[in-house]
Amino acid sequence: PRAREPLPELTRHRDGSVRQSAVNGLHGEIHAGNPEALAAVIERTRDEESGVRHAACMALRFAPMRSGSSDALAACLSDEDEKVRVTAAAHLALRDDPRGDDVLDALGYPDEDSPYYWLIYEVSRHQRLISQAPHGRL
């Protein structure tokens, strides 16, 4: 726990690789509902470096549904970096939030050698499970 304390502050470090590592280190804290960690990661969705923004979108997947995280992901749908856009859209889809559907539709179903293959596979699997569940909910 002592090693995790400085991570929210390190998400504001001048070096982008430090910011990205700090965001990556906050996944568990976000999943646990730590509001300081969540605020730090949401702030990094607007970082100047795309790698940091991508890491923030990855971390927000674990955020509680009613935390503002879906809105932060939706704000990334117009990001200049395709990897950030696709990750944000996929994580919204995994939350049953349709705001990223246009991004995913434009991408189509990627080939197995695509960097998005497994992420889109997970979205497709999730949607298939929901459509088969009673009342469309898991």
Side-chain angles (χ1 to χ4, degrees):
R2 194 176 77 202
R4 288 189 301 260
E5 286 179 27
L7 289 177
E9 185 60 35
L10 285 172
T11 64
R12 295 174 193 89
H13 193 275
R14 63 180 167 79
D15 184 328
S17 63
V18 172
R19 293 192 307 274
Q20 186 172 347
S21 293
V23 168
N24 287 332
L26 288 172
H27 285 228
E29 292 297 305
I30 289 174
H31 187 68
N34 179 325
E36 183 183 9
L38 179 61
V41 170
I42 286 175
E43 182 181 333
R44 294 289 51 95
T45 62
R46 297 178 304 276
D47 196 89
E48 62 193 40
E49 293 192 26
S50 64
V52 178
R53 295 190 308 272
H54 179 256
C57 288
M58 293 292 291
L60 288 177
R61 175 173 181 189
F62 302 102
M65 295 292 279
R66 294 190 170 112
S67 64
S69 55
S70 292
D71 290 338
L73 287 168
C76 291
L77 295 173
S78 60
D79 196 277
E80 63 189 36
D81 187 307
E82 180 184 67
K83 189 174 180 181
V84 174
R85 289 191 310 271
V86 171
T87 300
H91 289 176
L92 285 168
L94 291 169
R95 293 169 170 248
D96 303 321
D97 186 324
R99 289 183 280 182
D101 289 355
D102 289 343
V103 171
L104 297 178
D105 290 345
L107 179 68
Y109 203 87
D111 295 331
E112 285 186 34
D113 53 339
S114 167
Y116 309 122
Y117 178 78
W118 290 109
L119 182 59
I120 302 306
Y121 173 83
E122 188 176 359
V123 169
S124 297
R125 184 175 180 274
H126 173 78
Q127 291 171 339
R128 193 170 45 254
L129 289 171
I130 287 198
S131 70
Q132 295 170 353
H135 307 293
R137 298 203 90 130
L138 288 177

